[in-house]
Amino acid sequence: MRLPQVTLDTTLKELYGNSVHGPEGRIALVQSVVCTELALSSKVGRNSKYLYVESTFCSTPLKCSRQERAEIQRTVAIKFLSLVPQRDAFCAGNMPIVIFDPAGSGKETAHGKVEAKKTMSNLTADQRSKILYFAGPQDISMEANGIDSLVARLALDDLEGYPLVIDLDTNYFLNSKLALSESGLPRYESSALTVPKSPKSVSLELKDFSPAPTECCAVCMSRDGEIVIPDDCTGVRGRWLKSRIRDILEHISAQPIPFVLKNQQTFGGGGTFKVSSRKDVADLKALLSTRILPKLLSGVGPLNAHLKPATLILSEMVQDPICDWGLTFFVRRSGQCVYLSATQQILDPTNAWIGSNISYPAQDQLRQKFTPIMLEIGAWLHSYGYFGPCGADILEEAQGDHMPTMMKIVDLNVRTSGSLTLGLLKGHFSEQRGLHHATCFSISVNMTRESFIETFEADFTDGRIVIVGWYDDVSSGTSYGYLVVGATDEDDLGRRVAGVKKLASVMHF
């Protein structure tokens, strides 16, 4: 089946402009997502310095069987190392993109390459990114591929030592909730709950990170390699952990309801919790005490304490915002900001992002509406030397009759965002096909890419559905995809998305 090829309105390469050959030399993008809960493959290790509290970190129990962890690892690796990088590579244009193999090595390396190549074939030849496929970060060959510097989507531990356009500490800081709360940008009032600091010692009075296992009890010394302080620790580390968790939970219990709690580093909605009732408080405290805090606090040490990875942010919650917007733009090296789109975000009941909707006819008006706040964010990022794509989650709130609405930033994604693709497809959907509304979302489905395309043949041949990321997991029979669907109006869009959902499950990251 011959499908229409997509021409994007612009690409990341065009937006970077001369920066791709600037002082840093020739750059390549590393678009893999990181994981603190577990290693993604034998070649992509667990992030233990730059800690991220995403959905896998929040949902995985402290104790689970080897088989359960293997199943979690496989699914997460496909999403983080293949699906998201393909989606971002789709927007990149003709520039190098580094992708890691979900299997680490072996036969699946060829399979992963084929999947990425199939996705890029949906684009016109001059806009296809140059996929550089490696087993893991340590295998990146810079000189052989004409690369001088890397741009990392997130702060990946294993990239330390490589020449980076934005260093990992700055990357981590700019994406942190604490940085936003202290930035001076328009946001909801918040207060920070930070794990108390103190010098290294074996005493309960110490106000720092936990002592090393070798400075604790026989239990800790015999299980030095474990990520979490053992629950049967008989020394200072166990007492320290229980004390810090107790202090945090007491503070949360005293927080006026409603409120929102965010961990320092999150993405995809993981690590963010809306609390509207005493039951919500009880559920949150149970989750924090049994899963999140033991892992998070145990992960703070001398190498990352300066990053404040265990900071929690408490903020007020708006009960009925007018709209939950996703603003996407690009900050050039000069500090100039290029508006790309404003979309309406789709969240599941747990507050996880599962997609976005865009109205192309509304974009000119939305550009004017969001330009002031975009310029504020851009100036702040430029002050730290950042240039590249950025997404901002913004709540619009009513202020009363005859009063202008108020825009408040609730999150910054200083990287490629999930809705970036929508803003680059106006020509393909709206101008060429009269499809003035579109949505993007990820799915899991028990059929191959080819079978899925055949099932929705008319939509694909008409250019109504575009695959921007796909991976057939041959061993399980499940495929994971990232789709963009276009339609004439909102009702038409709803019907077409419902047709997809009859066969597939919408998933989040």
Side-chain angles (χ1 to χ4, degrees), residues 12-20 27 29 151 330 387-389:
L12 289 178
K13 180 181 180 181
E14 293 172 359
L15 291 166
Y16 274 109
N18 293 332
S19 298
V20 296
I27 67 174
L29 307 181
V151 174
F330 192 94
F387 61 96

Side-chain angles (χ1 to χ4, degrees), residues 173-246:
F173 168 76
L174 292 176
N175 282 282
S176 70
K177 306 301 181 283
L178 184 59
L180 175 60
S181 71
E182 297 177 346
S183 66
L185 295 168
R187 55 176 177 77
Y188 289 103
E189 292 302 316
S190 62
S191 59
L193 288 175
T194 308
V195 173
K197 292 186 175 182
S198 69
K200 232 190 222 184
S201 179
V202 293
S203 170
L204 275 176
E205 289 77 20
L206 301 178
K207 300 175 181 178
D208 199 1
F209 40 83
S210 166
T214 54
E215 299 175 19
C216 195
C217 62
V219 173
C220 289
M221 286 189 284
S222 66
R223 292 153 67 179
D224 190 356
E226 293 192 3
I227 297 169
V228 181
I229 295 172
D231 56 8
D232 54 349
C233 167
T234 59
V236 65
R237 298 176 77 230
R239 294 195 295 271
W240 175 90
L241 181 61
K242 291 175 183 177
S243 172
R244 294 297 181 266
I245 291 175
R246 182 174 61 250

Side-chain angles (χ1 to χ4, degrees), residues 49-195:
K49 178 179 180 180
Y50 299 99
L51 307 181
Y52 289 87
V53 182
E54 38 72 48
S55 58
T56 310
F57 190 94
C58 296
S59 62
T60 304
L62 294 181
K63 296 180 180 179
C64 57
S65 69
R66 181 176 297 180
Q67 181 180 353
E68 288 172 329
R69 288 193 74 83
E71 291 174 355
I72 294 170
Q73 180 196 48
R74 184 172 187 83
T75 301
V76 174
I78 290 172
K79 294 178 185 177
F80 286 9
L81 299 184
S82 186
L83 204 59
V84 171
Q86 282 187 50
R87 180 193 72 191
D88 290 350
F90 195 90
C91 304
N94 187 18
M95 67 183 301
I97 303 290
V98 172
I99 294 183
F100 304 125
D101 177 28
S105 60
K107 294 181 180 179
E108 294 206 24
T109 301
H111 178 64
K113 287 181 180 179
V114 170
E115 293 288 23
K117 185 176 180 179
K118 285 181 180 179
T119 299
M120 296 308 114
S121 70
N122 295 328
L123 291 161
T124 53
D126 62 335
Q127 288 191 336
R128 294 173 193 166
S129 58
K130 180 183 178 183
I131 301 293
L132 304 177
Y133 214 86
F134 301 104
Q138 301 305 319
D139 299 302
I140 297 175
S141 51
M142 304 282 286
E143 185 175 350
N145 289 284
I147 303 169
D148 298 306
S149 301
L150 301 174
V151 174
R153 186 179 194 274
L154 294 169
L156 179 61
D157 284 6
D158 290 341
L159 290 180
E160 285 195 300
Y162 282 99
L164 299 166
V165 174
I166 306 297
D167 68 85
L168 297 179
D169 275 18
T170 301
N171 180 315
Y172 192 82
F173 168 76
L174 292 176
N175 282 282
S176 70
K177 306 301 181 283
L178 184 59
L180 175 60
S181 71
E182 297 177 346
S183 66
L185 295 168
R187 55 176 177 77
Y188 289 103
E189 292 302 316
S190 62
S191 59
L193 288 175
T194 308
V195 173

Side-chain angles (χ1 to χ4, degrees), residues 342-344 357-364 366 436-438 490:
T343 61
Q344 292 183 302
N357 293 339
I358 190 169
S359 167
Y360 291 114
Q363 289 306 302
D364 286 343
L366 291 173
H436 303 304
H437 293 261
E490 291 183 1

Side-chain angles (χ1 to χ4, degrees), residues 205-497:
E205 289 77 20
L206 301 178
K207 300 175 181 178
D208 199 1
F209 40 83
S210 166
T214 54
E215 299 175 19
C216 195
C217 62
V219 173
C220 289
M221 286 189 284
S222 66
R223 292 153 67 179
D224 190 356
E226 293 192 3
I227 297 169
V228 181
I229 295 172
D231 56 8
D232 54 349
C233 167
T234 59
V236 65
R237 298 176 77 230
R239 294 195 295 271
W240 175 90
L241 181 61
K242 291 175 183 177
S243 172
R244 294 297 181 266
I245 291 175
R246 182 174 61 250
D247 291 345
I248 292 172
L249 296 184
E250 288 177 355
H251 198 129
I252 290 173
S253 295
Q255 183 72 12
I257 299 172
F259 64 90
V260 176
L261 181 142
K262 291 186 178 184
N263 285 269
Q264 170 77 309
Q265 283 286 356
T266 67
F267 52 82
T272 298
F273 306 95
K274 291 184 176 181
V275 177
S276 303
S277 65
R278 297 312 308 178
K279 181 180 183 304
D280 289 345
V281 173
D283 291 344
L284 174 60
K285 289 170 63 177
L287 180 62
L288 289 171
S289 61
T290 60
R291 294 192 181 181
I292 297 176
L293 290 179
K295 291 186 282 189
L296 181 61
L297 302 188
S298 297
V300 181
L303 295 179
N304 63 2
H306 67 288
L307 300 168
K308 304 179 181 179
T311 300
L312 304 177
I313 304 297
L314 291 169
S315 61
E316 62 179 330
M317 181 169 65
V318 175
Q319 299 281 15
D320 298 302
I322 297 173
C323 190
D324 190 338
W325 295 101
L327 171 65
T328 304
F329 61 100
F330 192 94
V331 183
R332 295 192 188 274
R333 185 192 292 275
S334 64
Q336 175 195 11
C337 295
V338 181
Y339 172 91
L340 296 175
S341 70
T343 61
Q344 292 183 302
Q345 303 201 90
I346 308 169
L347 307 178
D348 75 0
T350 67
N351 202 47
W353 180 85
I354 55 174
S356 295
N357 293 339
I358 190 169
S359 167
Y360 291 114
Q363 289 306 302
D364 286 343
Q365 181 181 357
L366 291 173
R367 181 195 305 268
Q368 295 181 355
K369 182 174 187 173
F370 284 101
T371 289
I373 200 166
M374 175 185 73
L375 295 178
E376 283 191 71
I377 299 170
W380 180 72
L381 293 175
H382 181 63
S383 70
Y384 287 94
Y386 179 80
F387 61 96
C390 181
D393 299 341
I394 299 172
L395 287 182
E396 183 176 8
E397 180 186 6
Q399 294 193 87
D401 295 339
H402 311 296
M403 293 283 288
T405 58
M406 183 179 296
M407 298 289 184
K408 293 291 183 68
I409 304 165
V410 294
D411 204 2
L412 282 183
N413 304 302
V414 188
R415 55 184 181 265
T416 50
S417 62
S419 59
L420 173 63
T421 321
L422 287 175
L424 309 182
L425 288 169
K426 180 179 180 180
H428 174 82
F429 283 130
S430 185
E431 295 173 0
Q432 297 177 25
R433 293 170 173 80
L435 306 175
H436 303 304
H437 293 261
T439 187
C440 61
F441 55 99
S442 54
I443 62 168
S444 61
V445 62
N446 293 323
M447 60 174 65
T448 65
R449 183 197 302 247
E450 286 71 24
S451 296
F452 185 81
I453 292 173
E454 289 175 3
T455 302
F456 296 95
E457 179 176 357
D459 289 316
F460 276 100
T461 55
D462 290 343
R464 291 177 181 271
I465 299 181
V466 178
I467 291 176
V468 298
W470 194 278
Y471 192 96
D472 289 332
D473 184 8
V474 180
S475 65
S476 70
T478 300
S479 293
Y480 302 88
Y482 195 89
L483 310 177
V484 183
V485 179
T488 54
D489 54 37
E490 291 183 1
D491 291 338
D492 183 34
L493 187 63
R495 287 192 296 271
R496 295 184 183 280
V497 171

